[in-house]
Amino acid sequence: MLTPHEDVVSRAQELSELDTLLGVAASGAAQCAVLEGPHGIGKTALCEAFAARHPELAVRRAEASAWEHGLRGGILAQLGVLPAYSADAGPTEDSWGRDTDQPSWLPAGRAALEALSRLAANGPALVVLDAIEHADTLSLEALAYAVRRVHDPLVVLATHGPAGRLPGSPAAAFADAARARRIVLDPLAPEALRELAAARAKVDLTPEATQALWRVSRGNPALALEALANGAESIGAEGLAAHGPRAVVPSVAARAAAALARLPPGARALVEAVSVLGGTPTGAVAAQLAGLPEGNAEALLAAADAAWSAGLLECRTVAGTLQLTIRDPLLRDAVEEALGPAERAALHTRAAELAGSTRDRLRHLVAAAVMPDDGLAAEADRLAAEEAGEGDWSAVADALVAASQLHVDPALREDRLLRAAEAMVGAGDLPSATPLARRVESLPQSAARDAVLAYYAIHKGHARRAGALLARAWETRPPLGSTDLAARIAQYRVLDSLAEWDIPALLDWTETAVRLAGPDSTAGVEARAMLGLGLGSAGRLAEARAAYEELAATPTLGARDQRLHLGRGWLALGVDELDEARLELRAAITSARSPGSLRITLWAYAWLARAEFSVGRWDEALAAARTGITLNAPVGMDLLAPILHFTAAQIHALRGDSAEAAEQSRLAQPGPEAYPVMHLAGALAAAAVAESLGDYAGVLRAFEPIVRMDRSRGIDAPGFWPWQDVYANALVMTGRIDDADAFLRPLEAAARSAEHRSTIARLGYVRGRILGAQGSLDDAVACFEGALAALDGLPLPYNTARGRFAYGQTLRRFGRRRDATEVLAAARDAFAGVGAQVYVARCERELQAAGTGIFRTAPHYQRGQHQVGQYPAAQHPGAQYPGTQQPGAPHRGGHDPGAPHPAQAPETGSSSGPSVPAFTAQETAVARLVAAGLSNRDAARELFVSVKTVQYHLTRIYAKLGIGSRAELAAVYRPPADESSATNSS
């Protein structure tokens, strides 16, 4: 039996949301959340897990049921909220009474308010309301009234299924009235199901078995557990671990059978026909297959209406055509599974006669076949060739799988199996390719076998294995055979070189692939789509553009133009053409209904997220990254996962959501055998999180694997992997000025040679920091101005803000406070514009430390009855270079000339107590950090001053407040809300 924590695998984000809700409630405002999802998705388990991880909560539970829906006050009674009644008469259905002058639920609402307030009066409390779609209306009205008025630490968690989302339903009205946060529980990804199987069924599923479990449960935990139990009983633990459950889940089969049994014969035949046809067939085609009277619209509508009423069919009319579908894929499988073998084969044979495309016709004929058929296999081969010409690899894979089953010749079956696996990888369908790859692994060694396994390994991110297999495939290819296999191996070497970011190798293998396959072949088109990217990365931009223009002119490009859009968009992103990048990358994203490759779509989402981030559209960037992550979850294309998670980690880090940033960074970290592009994205993610926390040593640690790489083959080419300025900046901030200088010099030369503006600017702001640390202010100013000028006209707001921030810090270090204030204010506004709250707070601390005005707003230090006032005109903090003394900053034992002298400073206090001196700007910054619990060393690192400077300011702070310890400072410090939030986000 699982503990509640184990029972909610892959629900860390939802538990984190509930923890946040509890934190808000702790301030004295009751909070409510509604967990939504179908039966079995884990709503109740999540509530129990939340309660288990917070044993300090006083918990009350109530569960609604359909047969008690009409019982007024039923949920309230379960919570112990009962109406007042006389000693000789118990409560009745109307015991709550009615007052014609007030809402009928008001007495119940007042009683609920009293009960909930009493529950949470002595500490945090939790109320769980399960299945509120079945709850009585009175209880929901009363609880909504109470939740909005409780001023104690109370969290109310309600759950409901799909019916609770219907507009106007009592459950939906309760959620709105209680201002509930809605949390939708999504299905579990295959890997999460694997964890669930290991924990609950004690079975370690293979990847093939995991996918089988996902197919029969669609990620529903309850159905997955039922399928595991049924599979263990029917095929045994070993068979279950190796192959997974094969049969429809019994409860789904029973639900389908019961619904079908209630239908009239015509309606049942219609539902069965739709299950065989699949997708969304027209009513006319489904009626023909079902054997309904031809041309009889009334008979079709009657059958469809009966099936709709039973919850089996969804019906809609589009452009005058009735369309039917079984929306739940599990239900569709159950309906088709219930057909006998002969009846199912007969229906598929008739469906092939009605098919409107060769692909659908072949699909039905294959489903109807019960033994090998060379004629049908040849037809499948022809279809595969046609679809390959269009670039629809999913259709190619389906046709080749069929051919591998239908050919009589074992050699042909083996060949089609190899090609089917390749096509599945090309389509991005790694889950389906995984079991085929295992079958391919068992075949005798050959160049074709090694090529397929290498292609699979590339997309799983297994660099060493892919490289070894490709090398052997190339060496053992038949010297006198067809060039098709050699061309495919060369094409896979192109992808391997791209993942290695080995640009010279990429260009060489592209030439080889195009020469062997022909420029207009599928392998040739795929290679040419990467040629422009390689040329651009090598600094040959004009040739890159010409290559893409030539590819765009290829006749009958078809769905293969998806590769062209991806390559063009990726190149445009790398050379600062952001508008073109976004347009091309969006064009590379295909819908589920369009032909094309999910593999290319996922790459497009990864780079579209980076493009949107670059132009400051962070909501759109996060949406693109999340969509890519969601699409990739069941696919498992590990090669690009770090890039998707990198964008998510960076945005969350800069917004101050450190927990989610850390989780995304964790997910971005690849294994030791990963490709360089995976290590680059993982390092950038980890560095973004560390930098947001001011942990520059952590930034350096994150980039250690990258520094050790051989970067001479293209990794440091300007524009494509912008890690260098982040690393060099961390070198400066940790006092390694000479190392930063040596690191930058060759990169600066390359950026100038390529005339790459954003790289010139990014490296330029670090060079400005170095010059500032070396004491060359005029040179530093010129460097910063040049960096900002390089960005002029480019839509790169975050890069511009970073440059200004570094510029302002350097000016403040040299005592140029007014100039620093102007530059830092511009940086703060730019950071605020993109939502980089961490840097907004840092800019504000810098502005405060600049001390260009006397600080006076609201008192925020208290001691007894007295308040010590400290009032910023520009409320914001600071930074200084490590190991340097800020000119104009307080010298050891001296006074800051830019701040008011204590003897001249205005005094402020409460009306009832004596006045006390105001703090200087730097005293304010030190007091805030030390009161928050930072050590002198940590505070010095945060403010970029020496430890002795912090000690000096603390001495003055203690004297002004009349205290003698850090504990006393923490006790009297009361920051205002805006300053507190800034501190927390830095």
Side-chain angles (χ1 to χ4, degrees), residues 218 255 271 274-275 278-281 311-316 323-333 593:
R218 298 291 165 163
R255 180 160 58 95
V271 172
V274 172
S275 76
T280 307
L312 288 171
L313 283 186
E314 290 189 14
C315 314
R316 61 176 180 171
Q323 295 182 340
L324 307 174
T325 187
I326 302 176
R327 184 66 62 189
D328 184 347
L330 298 179
L331 201 58
R332 192 205 73 81
D333 291 346
R593 296 174 180 269

Side-chain angles (χ1 to χ4, degrees), residues 474 486-487 489-491 494 505-518 527:
W474 185 253
I489 297 171
Q491 176 198 343
V494 172
L506 185 151
L507 295 175
D508 289 345
W509 283 111
T510 297
E511 180 184 352
T512 301
V514 173
R515 173 172 51 79
L516 290 171

Side-chain angles (χ1 to χ4, degrees), residues 802-892:
R802 280 179 70 92
R804 285 182 174 143
F805 178 64
Y807 190 7
Q809 284 184 309
T810 302
L811 289 170
R812 185 182 72 79
R813 173 180 177 270
F814 279 92
R816 296 267 295 273
R817 299 187 174 212
R818 292 191 181 279
D819 292 339
T821 297
E822 181 179 348
V823 175
L824 288 166
R828 177 195 59 198
D829 293 345
F831 282 131
V834 295
Q837 296 305 317
V838 164
Y839 275 95
V840 170
R842 289 183 183 176
C843 287
E844 290 178 343
R845 290 199 300 275
E846 285 287 339
L847 287 164
Q848 185 176 3
T852 53
I854 295 177
F855 292 79
R856 242 180 215 293
T857 51
H860 56 281
Y861 294 94
Q862 295 180 340
R863 185 175 185 189
Q865 298 299 314
H866 308 304
Q867 295 177 329
V868 180
Q870 161 61 32
Y871 310 109
Q875 309 156 340
H876 321 299
Q880 182 176 329
Y881 292 89
T884 62
Q885 177 68 38
Q886 177 183 339
H891 296 279
R892 298 169 189 173

Side-chain angles (χ1 to χ4, degrees), residues 741-934:
D741 175 53
F743 177 76
L744 276 190
R745 288 187 182 279
L747 300 172
E748 290 170 315
R752 287 193 299 270
S753 176
E755 299 181 349
H756 196 282
R757 292 167 60 190
S758 68
T759 303
I760 291 171
R762 288 186 295 100
L763 301 180
Y765 88 77
V766 184
R767 174 60 64 187
R769 282 193 185 277
I770 292 172
L771 292 168
Q774 293 171 340
S776 303
L777 177 60
D778 290 343
D779 291 340
V781 167
C783 196
F784 282 121
E785 292 288 348
L788 292 174
L791 292 174
D792 189 34
L794 291 179
L796 296 170
Y798 177 65
N799 285 1
T800 302
R802 280 179 70 92
R804 285 182 174 143
F805 178 64
Y807 190 7
Q809 284 184 309
T810 302
L811 289 170
R812 185 182 72 79
R813 173 180 177 270
F814 279 92
R816 296 267 295 273
R817 299 187 174 212
R818 292 191 181 279
D819 292 339
T821 297
E822 181 179 348
V823 175
L824 288 166
R828 177 195 59 198
D829 293 345
F831 282 131
V834 295
Q837 296 305 317
V838 164
Y839 275 95
V840 170
R842 289 183 183 176
C843 287
E844 290 178 343
R845 290 199 300 275
E846 285 287 339
L847 287 164
Q848 185 176 3
T852 53
I854 295 177
F855 292 79
R856 242 180 215 293
T857 51
H860 56 281
Y861 294 94
Q862 295 180 340
R863 185 175 185 189
Q865 298 299 314
H866 308 304
Q867 295 177 329
V868 180
Q870 161 61 32
Y871 310 109
Q875 309 156 340
H876 321 299
Q880 182 176 329
Y881 292 89
T884 62
Q885 177 68 38
Q886 177 183 339
H891 296 279
R892 298 169 189 173
H895 165 62
D896 180 354
H901 193 282
Q904 300 170 337
E907 296 182 345
T908 180
S910 69
S911 59
S912 59
S915 60
V916 288
F919 287 169
T920 66
Q922 291 216 343
E923 287 169 354
T924 299
V926 169
R928 179 178 54 251
L929 295 174
V930 172
L934 272 68

